[in-house]
Amino acid sequence: MAAIIQGIGAATAQTSANSLDTKKSFFSISRRSLSVGAERKGRSFVVRSDGRLSYGLNGRGGRAEQLITNAVAAKEDTAAASTSSKPGHELLLFEALREGLEEEMDRDPAVCVMGEDVGHYGGSYKVTKGLAPKYGDLRVLDTPIAENSFTGMGIGAAMTGLRPVIEGMNMGFLLLAFNQISNNCGMLHYTSGGQFKIPVVIRGPGGVGRQLGAEHSQRLESYFQSIPGIQMVACSTPYNAKGLMKAAIRSDNPVILFEHVLLYNLKERIPDEEYVLNLEEAEMVRPGEHVTILTYSRMRYHVMQAAKTLVNKGYDPEVIDIRSLKPFDLHTIGNSVKKTHRVLIVEECMRTGGIGASLTAAITENFHDYLDAPIICLSSQDVPTPYAGTLENWTVVQPAQIVSAVEQLCQ
């Protein structure tokens, strides 16, 4: 704890009383509406990585099955074996994040966790459940509702040699810590002349949930992508969630790990043996020949649902989960563009200044001569996310739009 306190002065700014007052209501809402079961207005649900849904009654009838639909392309159907016959163990995505975090805390005593309710409550989505009794309150530190302060404390702790994992209860709340993340987290290694490393991980839930309102549906990828010195990754499966978590903790660079609120209950069988993924590597989800579809996070499943329709119509899309939002894996992306000569980008980020805009610019600069058609980018509308469920769906990209865009590209 002494090491943490020593670093506070280097990176912590004061948090205003106003920010504490305005967020008391958010804090109470988060405990109710951002629970691990994602049970709002329906049954608890589990979405397996092979697209199958399983349900459990929570005492309230509803439409939980509408949250994520079957999303596996036809080319994968024939190759996919039953999950019960594969080696390894099945985990939900939030459990995979916890397993990766716990393994790193066992391996390295410098790894610690801090954030609101991460201790004995176990976190809003239970990613840190059970860690406080195992590691104690000094390594799993419950903080006040003061993002600016505890983010700065974590950055200061990283300067002194610890490896903090800072949880934002909701990514939208980290806007209150933007100064710490921008002016300190991303720049201190450079501005100190290399005297300090900042091995910190900033993680938490974001994205459009299910009627969580505009403030709880933020997509901050575009906000953070311009900060020098920051790496950004987005997980989309239990397998890559664990692998990216472990890689982010081991990195000497500050890493922001984006998690989607609707993917925490995704289930997948992952290996029993230890593995660590590359923070700068994209994932080839589905090889194809006709068009390259670049996506990440929740939109991976909308793309794969659209891919089933496209295959039935005679198209052969190549789907890549870019995973690394900064920097882009231009090697994997470039090889695909050189093969298909057509690019569709599908994101949940806002259209103006989003990840898709940066990706479009990078592809145009590096692979323009290989393109046979203009790049199409499907993004969320530039509006605050409505609370009404029907309107909320209209603001994000749907599978039918993806199908139409591919048909347009391949004319």
Side-chain angles (χ1 to χ4, degrees), residues 73-396:
K75 183 170 273 192
E76 300 296 329
D77 290 342
T78 56
S82 170
T83 55
S84 61
S85 64
K86 293 180 180 179
H89 56 289
E90 278 194 341
L91 289 178
L92 301 174
L93 190 143
F94 77 89
E95 294 172 328
L97 288 167
R98 182 199 305 150
E99 185 172 273
L101 177 56
E102 188 171 5
E103 287 180 5
E104 292 305 300
M105 294 185 76
D106 287 338
R107 187 187 68 88
D108 186 352
V111 179
C112 57
V113 181
M114 59 184 67
E116 299 156 354
D117 271 353
V118 298
H120 296 280
Y121 184 71
S124 295
Y125 289 88
K126 303 306 178 188
V127 172
T128 57
K129 182 180 179 180
L131 298 185
K134 181 176 180 179
Y135 299 106
D137 293 339
L138 293 183
R139 291 188 69 190
V140 185
L141 182 64
D142 273 324
T143 67
I145 309 173
E147 282 79 7
N148 189 45
S149 295
F150 70 72
T151 301
M153 181 171 68
I155 295 167
M159 294 171 66
T160 68
L162 298 181
R163 291 184 175 271
V165 178
I166 302 169
E167 176 179 315
M169 179 177 284
N170 183 278
M171 276 296 187
F173 298 161
L174 289 179
L175 290 175
L176 295 168
F178 195 85
N179 175 65
Q180 299 287 5
I181 297 171
S182 175
N183 286 326
N184 294 323
C185 186
M187 298 185 186
L188 274 172
H189 178 68
Y190 176 81
T191 56
S192 69
Q195 296 180 74
F196 294 111
K197 295 179 180 178
I198 316 295
V200 63
V201 179
I202 300 173
R203 53 153 296 269
V208 178
R210 189 151 192 251
Q211 295 182 259
L212 297 180
E215 296 90 348
H216 285 71
S217 302
Q218 291 275 35
R219 288 133 287 176
L220 299 186
E221 303 96 299
S222 60
Y223 288 62
F224 294 122
Q225 67 173 328
S226 61
I227 301 175
I230 295 282
Q231 284 188 270
M232 304 194 311
V233 291
C235 60
S236 55
T237 69
Y239 177 82
N240 66 39
K242 178 182 177 180
L244 292 174
M245 171 71 86
K246 291 172 69 69
I249 292 173
R250 296 187 187 189
S251 174
D252 285 334
N253 298 315
V255 179
I256 302 179
L257 174 59
F258 292 93
E259 304 155 16
H260 199 288
V261 293
L262 289 186
L263 298 185
Y264 278 125
N265 279 0
L266 187 72
K267 178 174 279 191
E268 183 179 25
R269 187 170 291 273
I270 67 174
D272 290 327
E273 62 271 11
E274 183 182 37
Y275 65 93
V276 180
L277 297 182
N278 190 330
L279 287 175
E280 301 178 11
E281 189 175 278
E283 177 188 352
M284 179 66 68
V285 180
R286 183 191 189 280
E289 300 290 337
H290 294 161
V291 59
T292 297
I293 305 180
L294 304 174
T295 189
Y296 65 93
S297 191
R298 175 198 177 192
M299 286 296 112
R300 167 176 174 155
Y301 297 95
H302 282 217
V303 168
M304 294 305 287
Q305 181 177 347
K308 295 185 69 174
T309 302
L310 290 168
V311 168
N312 292 335
K313 291 189 172 190
Y315 297 100
D316 188 16
E318 180 154 291
V319 180
I320 296 176
D321 184 341
I322 62 174
R323 288 199 312 211
S324 176
L325 308 184
K326 182 182 179 183
F328 296 129
D329 179 5
L330 291 180
H331 175 75
T332 300
I333 294 170
N335 286 339
S336 180
V337 172
K338 292 174 184 178
K339 178 173 62 173
T340 67
H341 309 292
R342 293 173 175 83
V343 177
L344 171 63
I345 300 170
V346 182
E347 63 174 346
E348 197 178 273
C349 199
M350 300 299 185
R351 181 171 184 80
T352 302
I355 295 297
S358 298
L359 193 53
T360 298
I363 295 171
T364 301
E365 290 174 3
N366 292 277
F367 309 109
H368 179 267
D369 290 346
Y370 296 96
L371 293 172
D372 289 344
I375 298 171
I376 294 180
C377 182
L378 299 179
S379 312
S380 293
Q381 297 183 33
D382 288 334
V383 296
T385 303
Y387 175 77
T390 303
L391 293 177
E392 181 185 67
N393 288 335
W394 276 102
T395 65
V396 297

